[in-house]
Amino acid sequence: MYSSRPEPNRFRSSIWPWRLPIISAGEKFRYLRKLYQSLLSPQRAVKMKKFQDLESLVLLADLVDQPQGFFEDVDRYSLSVIFSAVYGIRLSKLDHPITAELSELWLLMLQHLQPGSLLIDYVTILQRLPIYLQPGYQYAMKLRSREMRLHFAFLRTLRDAVRQGHAPDCFGKHLLEVQQKDNIDDSAACDILAMIIAGGGHTTSSILQSFFKLMALHPDTVRKAHSELDQVVGSDRLPSWGDQNKLPYIQSLIKELHRCCGIGGLGTL
């Protein structure tokens, strides 16, 4: 039985050569799946809670001080959490040149990665033309070069920190250990880490933005959730990870939020 996804066109395979969502079944797919399972294991993910705790406090303070900026605050929170978990680096401002560049790149990539967005999706024989006659391929390589330039800089900074003995515990640090053992080049390593950031950044932002919209439409749900928090947590502290199993209504609310709200366009790949 044929169980693989269709082969990606040249644009997608050129811009994302080591990204799991577009790789067909085979040795490379199996290796990446095993690697991601190791990088993102529950044991490692638990260690990233400290980043979520810190950024959650910053987000709450921002929402109290400037509630009208919730859209940008949620974006900054999501990107800072995932960058901290991957590279051990916080992003304190959304308008920083690095975050602005990444956001623009992700938007451009997503527009061209959607099935049916390119002429070669309909006239596949165009992929057999010489490279210099394929403007889509050349554009893909320009986008990839821009993205890799940023990730190379983050990876070099993390590698220097590892050598000096003060690197934070993060997914990138573990990948550097695997890189030496499995002989992964820097380009592939950056692709692997970039996929984690793309998968954990805007997806989190999207679901949180949907949360605000739905809560505004369902005030009764907000009152019930708030009542449960008052009963379990009280008014003298913030909720902690240890309260999770004592908040069944809020857990159900979160599950319903994930059920009814899509987290991004990548599911169409």
Side-chain angles (χ1 to χ4, degrees):
M1 180 179 293
Y2 186 75
S3 60
S4 181
R5 57 171 63 92
E7 287 287 338
N9 61 39
R10 175 167 281 182
F11 183 96
R12 297 183 182 97
S13 61
S14 299
I15 204 169
W16 279 3
W18 280 80
R19 309 290 175 99
L20 194 61
I22 66 168
I23 293 177
S24 301
E27 194 64 33
K28 187 176 182 181
F29 177 88
R30 288 191 290 272
Y31 173 78
L32 280 176
R33 183 176 61 182
K34 182 179 179 180
L35 179 58
Y36 278 121
Q37 288 173 344
S38 173
L39 289 175
L40 307 175
S41 67
Q43 294 80 6
R44 294 190 185 280
V46 166
K47 298 179 181 179
M48 305 304 143
K49 286 182 176 180
K50 58 186 178 184
F51 301 127
Q52 292 175 278
D53 289 339
L54 172 61
E55 297 300 341
S56 294
L57 292 175
V58 175
L59 175 61
L60 289 174
D62 289 340
L63 292 174
V64 170
D65 293 339
Q66 294 182 324
Q68 69 276 12
F70 80 94
F71 196 88
E72 292 78 12
D73 292 336
V74 163
D75 252 353
R76 188 216 60 80
Y77 161 82
S78 304
L79 287 175
S80 193
V81 167
I82 196 63
F83 263 89
S84 298
V86 171
Y87 289 118
I89 296 175
R90 289 192 66 234
L91 299 178
S92 58
K93 294 182 179 180
L94 191 62
D95 58 355
H96 191 280
I98 292 177
T99 53
E101 172 74 350
L102 281 173
S103 296
E104 180 183 349
L105 283 170
W106 287 335
L107 180 61
L108 291 172
M109 287 180 179
L110 188 57
Q111 288 174 350
H112 292 89
L113 287 167
Q114 298 284 0
S117 61
L118 300 169
L119 183 59
I120 54 177
D121 288 329
Y122 304 99
V123 189
T124 56
I125 197 172
L126 293 177
Q127 297 183 91
R128 299 184 182 182
L129 291 172
I131 295 298
Y132 66 87
L133 291 177
Q134 296 190 43
Y137 171 80
Q138 297 170 31
Y139 181 59
M141 295 310 296
K142 287 181 180 178
L143 290 178
R144 175 168 175 77
S145 177
R146 287 172 60 185
E147 184 187 31
M148 287 297 101
R149 193 180 304 119
L150 294 173
H151 286 285
F152 280 143
F154 282 118
L155 191 65
R156 283 195 299 268
T157 301
L158 180 59
R159 183 179 283 123
D160 290 342
V162 170
R163 289 170 180 166
Q164 295 168 15
H166 57 76
D169 193 357
C170 56
F171 297 136
K173 181 181 178 181
H174 177 58
L175 182 62
L176 288 175
E177 299 170 359
V178 176
Q179 186 182 19
Q180 293 182 343
K181 182 180 66 174
D182 292 358
N183 196 28
I184 303 172
D185 62 32
D186 280 357
S187 180
C190 286
D191 252 332
I192 292 166
L193 295 177
M195 187 68 253
I196 298 176
I197 290 174
H202 283 297
T203 52
T204 302
S205 176
S206 175
I207 204 69
L208 286 174
Q209 289 161 7
S210 297
F211 168 81
F212 281 105
K213 296 170 186 175
L214 284 177
M215 293 305 98
L217 292 172
H218 300 279
D220 288 344
T221 300
V222 176
R223 282 191 287 270
K224 291 178 182 178
H226 203 287
S227 175
E228 185 177 70
L229 279 173
D230 287 341
Q231 293 176 16
V232 174
V233 178
S235 58
D236 298 329
R237 65 178 178 90
L238 292 173
S240 67
W241 295 99
D243 297 317
Q244 185 173 351
N245 293 330
K246 305 173 186 175
L247 301 167
Y249 185 83
I250 291 177
Q251 286 195 68
S252 299
L253 188 157
I254 294 170
K255 291 177 181 178
E256 177 64 10
L257 180 66
H258 281 84
R259 184 196 67 80
C260 68
C261 298
I263 59 173
L266 288 175
T268 61
L269 289 177

